[in-house]
Amino acid sequence: MIDASDIEACYMVRCDAKNGLIFEIGDATVGENGLRSARFEIGRYKETIRLDGNGPDRRTIVLSRHPKLLAALTSGADFATMFAIKAGEIDYSTGFELTDARDQISRLAKACPTKR
């Protein structure tokens, strides 16, 4: 789990039985803020991704649909920056550490069965 506790948000990779590995943004305000897209910058990787989910407190990205994001998260980079995009403009940005993300995500992927 990647925790950005200063803004009471949580960024994590988890296993979903249907979709495999999921990157999840958990934040009490994502629904009311209308967060639909996020731009990630991890090393040389830079991409804006439309987010899934319409819950009031979480948005997700199915990593099998975004292999470049998964590769960036597991690249060994120390830090990631995420920009929340609202109506085509940057609403806010945050950063989070990727310490040991490569090993942790690799272990999670091996133990994550999917029902496809």
Side-chain angles (χ1 to χ4, degrees):
M1 178 187 329
I2 304 162
D3 181 20
S5 57
D6 58 326
I7 58 169
E8 298 182 15
C10 179
Y11 307 95
M12 70 176 146
V13 174
R14 66 174 177 83
C15 178
D16 178 80
K18 180 181 174 189
N19 295 302
L21 294 181
I22 303 281
F23 181 88
E24 183 173 294
I25 301 167
D27 182 336
T29 64
V30 294
E32 66 190 50
N33 288 338
L35 181 61
R36 289 282 166 222
S37 298
R39 178 168 180 79
F40 292 87
E41 296 186 1
I42 305 169
R44 290 184 288 167
Y45 169 79
K46 293 168 180 51
E47 184 176 15
T48 301
I49 298 174
R50 181 158 172 79
L51 304 172
D52 298 320
N54 58 6
D57 63 350
R58 69 183 51 163
R59 296 290 185 266
T60 60
I61 299 168
V62 176
L63 290 173
S64 64
R65 294 184 202 139
H66 298 281
K68 289 181 182 179
L69 175 58
L70 178 58
L73 290 168
T74 58
S75 68
D78 293 327
F79 196 77
T81 304
M82 184 190 83
F83 300 90
I85 308 296
K86 185 175 175 184
E89 300 290 325
I90 295 175
D91 189 41
Y92 68 88
S93 66
T94 189
F96 48 91
E97 288 186 34
L98 294 173
T99 307
D100 298 323
R102 177 189 294 172
D103 294 336
Q104 291 178 28
I105 293 171
S106 177
R107 281 194 305 273
L108 181 62
K110 289 176 186 171
C112 185
T114 59
K115 297 178 183 175
R116 287 187 172 207

